[in-house]
Amino acid sequence: MSEYGTLVDNHTVRFERLLPGPIERVWKYLTDAELRGLWFAAGPMEPRVGGKMDIVFDNSNIGPHPSAPPERFRKYAGPFDSKHVVTIWEPPHRLGFTWDEDMDPKGSVVEIELTEQGDKVRLVLTHRRVSGVSDAINFSGGWHTHLAMLAEQLEGNPKTPFWEAFDGIEDEYRKRYSEK
């Protein structure tokens, strides 16, 4: 398992992480709006297939202290939200949701699978139907950073502000994905 995501094909990225368990705790960090807001994005989620999911990002306030975004992300300095639909709801093992802002299930989708491995939990996040390698690089930088924030939360050691952790990660994915 690599600390980096992989480009499965030009329209799919996948991440694997081994996280502290138990699985029910990790599931709660995926589905509880307040806990999800500590590492990814807050917002209500209807716990059922077809349920509405509001994703409210506030990346500047994820981590132990606020941080400012790089210049090209200045418009994301404060909270912003987008609307999604739950496509998979199988607690505590599988969660899926649309990614496109128009909530179209035929658009980009995210699936998260959790599997117990002793006292750890293997998380596999797959983001499918992205529009191409450029989007794959963008999504990979974001998911890479958010999953690092999740690991820090689950370990009880949130030490890195989001934008500091994000800085330079897209360049790393650009290099990795251009080698394919």
Side-chain angles (χ1 to χ4, degrees):
M1 178 174 10
S2 170
E3 76 175 274
Y4 291 96
T6 57
L7 185 65
V8 176
D9 59 45
N10 288 346
H11 303 283
T12 307
V13 294
R14 178 171 290 134
F15 294 83
E16 292 188 39
R17 298 290 184 268
L18 197 56
L19 302 168
I23 196 169
E24 294 80 9
R25 179 171 175 247
V26 177
W27 179 260
K28 197 164 176 99
Y29 270 84
L30 298 178
T31 60
D32 178 274
E34 186 176 329
L35 293 175
R36 192 173 0 95
L38 296 173
W39 68 275
F40 174 53
M45 173 193 304
E46 294 176 354
R48 61 180 177 82
V49 171
K52 294 178 184 174
M53 179 180 182
D54 292 343
I55 297 179
V56 182
F57 290 95
D58 190 5
N59 291 335
S60 295
N61 290 304
I62 294 177
H65 58 80
S67 65
E71 188 59 42
R72 71 186 183 101
F73 290 107
R74 284 283 181 231
K75 66 182 179 183
Y76 302 118
F80 66 96
D81 67 332
S82 57
K83 308 292 183 196
H84 307 266
V85 175
V86 176
T87 57
I88 300 169
W89 183 264
E90 298 174 9
H93 297 283
R94 292 179 67 224
L95 173 66
F97 48 92
T98 61
W99 191 258
D100 293 336
E101 287 188 41
D102 62 4
M103 303 189 310
D104 182 359
K106 294 179 181 169
S108 180
V109 293
V110 174
E111 180 179 344
I112 302 171
E113 296 178 77
L114 302 178
T115 309
E116 293 174 296
Q117 289 196 298
D119 64 345
K120 304 281 185 188
V121 176
R122 178 177 299 279
L123 177 145
V124 177
L125 183 148
T126 307
H127 194 147
R128 292 183 177 85
R129 300 193 302 250
V130 301
S131 65
V133 175
S134 179
D135 265 358
I137 291 165
N138 177 288
F139 288 132
S140 292
W143 284 123
H144 180 103
T145 308
H146 283 296
L147 292 172
M149 304 288 102
L150 174 59
E152 288 182 6
Q153 286 295 325
L154 290 167
E155 292 163 357
N157 187 22
K159 59 184 179 242
T160 312
F162 177 86
W163 290 115
E164 289 176 26
F166 180 81
D167 188 36
I169 199 68
E170 283 182 317
D171 292 336
E172 179 63 28
Y173 279 102
R174 193 170 290 107
K175 177 182 158 197
R176 288 170 176 276
Y177 293 174
S178 69
E179 295 171 355
K180 295 241 175 228

